[in-house]
Amino acid sequence: MSSWADSSPGMQMERVPVNGHDPEEDGEQYPKPPSQRKKIVVVGLGMVGIAFIEKLLKMDSKRREYDIVVIGEESHLAYNRVGLTSFFQHRKVENLYLNPRDWYANTPAGALNYHLNTMVTEIHTREKLVSTSNGDTVPYDILILATGSDALLPRHTPGHDAKGVFVYRTIGDLQKLIDYADTVKETTGAVVGGGLLGLEAAKAMMDLETFKQVKLIERNRWVLSRQLDADAGGMVVDLVRQLGLDVLLSKRVGKIEVDENNAVKGVVFEDGERMDCTCIMFAIGIRARDELARKASIKCADRGGGIVIDGDLRTSQKDIYAIGECASWESETFGLIAPGIEMAEVLAFNLTQAKVHAPRKFKRPDLSTKLKLLGVEVASFGDFFADRDGPKSLPVRSHAAKKQANGTPGVQEQVKIITNGPAPPPVKALTYKDPFNSVYKKYLFTVDGKYLLGGMMIGDTKDYVKLVPMVKNQKPLEVPPSEFILGAAKDGEEGGDDLTDDTQICSCHNVTKGDVAKVVKDGTCKSIGEVKSCTKAGTGCGGCMPLVQSIFNTQMKAMGNEVSNHLCPHFAHSRADLFNIISVKKIDNFPSIMKEAGKDAGSLGCEVCKPTIASILASLYNKHIMDKSLNGLQETNDKFLANIQRNGTFSVIPRVSAGEITPDKLIAMGTVAKKYNLYCKITGGQRIDLFGAKKQDLPDIWTELIAAGLESGHGYAKSLRTVKSCVGTTWCRFGIGDSVGMAVRLEERYKSIRSPHKIKGGVSGCVRECAEAQNKDFGLIATEKGFNVFVAGNGGSKPRHSELLAKDVPPDDVVPILDRYLMFYIRTADKLQRTARWMENLPGGINYLRQVILEDKLGICASLEDQMNALVGTFFCEWTAVLNDPKLRANFTQFANTTATLPVMENVEDRGQTRPAYWPHGKVTQDFRGTKWTSLTWQPMLEASYFADKADLPNGASAALKRGDTMLALFYLKGKYYATQQMCPHKRAFVLADGLIGDTPTTAVPISDPKTGAAAGNSTGESDASPDTSSLYVSCPNHKRNFTLNGADAGKCSNDADVSIATFAVEVRDDGWIYVKLPPVEELDAVLGTKKWITKASETEDPFKKLDAKLKGMRSRKVVDGAGEMGRRVGGFEVKVGGEGGGGGIDW
């Protein structure tokens, strides 16, 4: 963030067009130099403010007519208010950011300045200045007011200022609710207001899981009364009640009762009834924030508030514009995001493009909405109340129709209206109501059925995106209205083939089908992630992503770019195809597989195909993954039988089947954790994760755990993780099945079995579902007759509810069914495909799976069971196998050339435990590859015998080396050696020696002495290159940055041009040593030394600093551990703060 700019040269200059023409347009004056740019000051860094900035920067990228200063009142960068409810799940504001922090820094120099935690207090229109709360004044040429709105609070209601009264608007509001909710656990929370915001607020309260009950209070007879009619709103009420929300209708709060501490204890309704509650959130509407404009005498609306604007978004004051919820256009403000985005686009266009194009006008926005509220799909579009209020406009089909629509009724007709009441609106409604599947649709047409005017949908909203443009375009319909209902329920994904290019597919950011198709056609975007980044589609509420994906796939196919499921560039087969080839031909090693099925028989493969084939081989033959023929295929987690963490250490997760553990085993884990200073965390799968284990300590840690009766939990593998259970009939008075006993048996059966992705299970002892079995890859719920078996669910970034495979299955029949299901999944799934995605892509879905698994439609059930039984019979503890093999155990050292060690990251004490310092922001962009060393000499670094037993490894081998304070990585493959720095500059992690080695076809590798592994074009600059060979690279195990090891590009990163690594020549001499050509130690340490690059705690700010300041002086619970008080000291109190720690490493 830069400091305020004191002035803008453009402020004193007013160019006057000559005869309506700007003479500067004829010259080559673009881009403008800094001295000629105008300054735009934007007040408000919300969704509309940042949308304007994004669009202006894009439209002004060539001209560079403007520099922008944005002033945000909150302490956060622009975040997604539409997704505010998700904050309760992750508690990370950064997850809501619309753009990452480095996006702001990477804008063109001078183009964007931003200031947070700063309020604009006054506008000086004559001087063209704004004053801020910290005493600064900021000049402007153009001022954009994007101040948004405030949530309404009924200040006329007694008790509105009590403790426990909240509104739902900002991150700050949510954080206050979170903090307060912890003080009133197991009580009743209430939300007042049953509109869109109210239902979101109710979900937020329920997601807290601290309130015993949440009640929604609505003054009308149904919820969403501004979007839905009584039938639709009533259906939503029924649905949300089924989800656990208690809805009170036709109720108005008359008074809020408080206790002696002015804290909420209940509400009294206007009808005299009373209700207990300890927390109330008002979501009764918003009011435009126009106080800044009023203070500056800028015209504001008297009724309803808002800064009055015209079609150009101008206010009554020259060079001042208003956009978003603070703006009043034609006496109306808009509380939805889409109109604000439209305003931002119109204004950005007019400021940048209107000199050479006709200026755009802001027109009446489309208020159609499609949302998912408390899990209920809701949509309304067009003139959805035309049957109640009369149509806002009608298509003009003839002079008579126009006269009828616009004419004034005669005297006789006026008498009829007085006598009989007004005629019904010239509208006909087509309604479909399915109470069994909770689907409601009402479409409104003109009387003749030729035009669609609007409608609403509950439950099934697939056709929303197709119906909205029909209303907008007002073209006569080509099908009868009945087909809109009868043809609405379609199987499969949402398609985009029948949509026109101007169809809006993302209402949050006003993105059309044509916008997506264009960036794919012109080659700008070649992946769905690039489409999202470029067009912003899918970055708001995310509801449009299936359609965006469909359009992307269709366009790629139309261009001849097949969207294939081939494993990687080395194989023209899917994972399922390779599984069958390997299984049928009984191939058990990577070189033979590459020769049989690969594109290049001699290829080394890559970081995609190697782990996948390793998984297939493990699923078929279950050899130890550190076996000589397999070890070079494994990800770092599998290679060292532990999850690598961000500081290069590992986490250790012993098996705790079904979460059941003895006190002695608990004590053993605690003893180990204390001895090796490991950070302890209870996982979501009911086991204990021990973080911070050094690679060289892993065997000793395993030894002590195994001695206590524990074994590997395979937390590092794509295999079964856990089978979660409730206590069932073991203890619970409601249990009707032994959930623990079944879960233990299932986890013990399927442990260690490799699969395309991780597998999680769950067993609940009754329908209360405490084990959450219905969001697992497989789950059981006990019934009186046995277990209901659910499959193909998962949580994570794209949750999916599991589906019922079989009902009332006797306990003895559970295992055969799961054997078949899991092995069928292992055989047929794609690479890294969870069962949920596999099920979605399975032709015929759950019905087909039932036919295969229960009815043996394919005649393979016996084969599936036999294959699973064979796998189960090969189980062994992989930790124990390492301890029993000295050669395997020898791999667990930090350095191959010394027993000395170096730290990899500073540690800090937090909440009584040791954790690594937070990663600093940004990456190291220093050109390590181009380092000019003063001198290079051959240094003996490692005895060649270290690789003696690895000479025939087809997948390569590696070692970490220490020289002075510098860590180096040495790679050996196909008889040649390569050396690089050990540190990956992306996150300053010292891990490259642990990465997978791969090759890219057709890129040159060096020709040199057979004993030498020197790379051409690197920092040694000594080798030549030859065509017809492949480019070798190492893939960083943390975030898959791929660094070239050989050829002219040695040291470059193929997938991140900002980073590079230093490479060094290597040779083997007759004395039996491997020599590396290195600079003097002091010079090497000055460039690559660990002390220089180790992540330090002082580099990042405590993320809880502001929260702790808020909590200062507040009474909080004392948190006590075995040694005494534990927690963060704030203002004389022990305050427990913080969130989830560690994690299981990055899941590739």
Side-chain angles (χ1 to χ4, degrees), residues 105-161:
N106 292 334
T107 54
L112 177 61
N113 260 323
Y114 70 92
H115 299 266
L116 306 178
N117 254 340
T118 305
M119 178 185 290
V120 174
T121 56
E122 192 170 2
I123 303 170
H124 307 279
T125 56
R126 183 174 299 177
E127 296 82 9
K128 301 189 86 168
L129 300 169
V130 296
S131 298
T132 69
S133 54
N134 56 17
D136 291 318
T137 57
V138 187
Y140 67 83
D141 292 306
I142 295 172
L143 181 65
I144 314 296
L145 299 177
T147 51
S149 60
D150 280 330
L152 286 175
L153 190 65
R155 303 190 182 279
H156 62 279
T157 301
H160 72 274
D161 56 350

Side-chain angles (χ1 to χ4, degrees), residues 391-397 401 404-405 426-427 445-447 451 453 474:
K392 295 176 182 177
S393 63
L394 284 173
V396 179
R397 296 177 295 280
Q404 179 184 356
V427 172
F445 300 85
T446 53
V447 174
Y451 294 85
L453 301 177
Q474 287 292 280

Side-chain angles (χ1 to χ4, degrees), residues 10-120:
M11 293 178 190
Q12 285 76 40
M13 297 185 289
E14 291 286 339
R15 296 203 313 272
V16 180
V18 179
N19 295 325
H21 174 70
D22 187 345
E24 285 191 21
E25 288 291 316
D26 296 332
E28 294 293 327
Q29 76 280 17
Y30 299 116
K32 294 279 189 182
S35 60
Q36 294 182 23
R37 296 175 194 157
K38 289 188 175 184
K39 181 195 281 189
I40 294 179
V41 173
V42 181
V43 181
L45 188 53
M47 293 185 74
V48 174
I50 195 63
F52 169 77
I53 293 168
E54 289 172 348
K55 295 174 189 302
L56 188 84
L57 287 173
K58 184 176 182 180
M59 294 181 187
D60 191 41
S61 59
K62 294 181 179 179
R63 296 173 176 264
R64 289 295 280 114
E65 293 184 272
Y66 302 104
D67 287 335
I68 304 170
V69 174
V70 58
I71 306 171
E73 185 176 327
E74 293 188 62
S75 59
H76 310 295
L77 297 173
Y79 58 86
N80 181 8
R81 292 187 193 276
V82 178
L84 204 57
T85 307
S86 66
F87 180 75
F88 289 92
Q89 299 167 8
H90 51 71
R91 307 288 173 95
K92 296 178 181 178
V93 180
E94 292 78 11
N95 288 5
L96 292 174
Y97 281 176
L98 295 168
N99 294 298
R101 191 174 295 274
D102 57 5
W103 177 86
Y104 295 82
N106 292 334
T107 54
L112 177 61
N113 260 323
Y114 70 92
H115 299 266
L116 306 178
N117 254 340
T118 305
M119 178 185 290
V120 174

Side-chain angles (χ1 to χ4, degrees), residues 256 302 351 416 468 491 504 512 565 628 881 891 925 970 1122:
I256 299 172
D302 293 327
L351 290 175
K416 288 183 179 179
V468 170
D491 294 331
Q504 183 192 66
T512 66
N565 64 344
K628 185 177 179 179
N891 290 304
T925 56
L970 181 66

Side-chain angles (χ1 to χ4, degrees), residues 17 22 41 78 138 231 268 298 337 456 646 866 877 964 990 1025 1146:
D22 187 345
V41 173
V138 187
D231 286 341
V268 178
I298 297 172
I337 181 63
M456 56 190 69
R646 60 185 178 86
D866 289 344
C877 175
F990 299 88
I1146 292 181

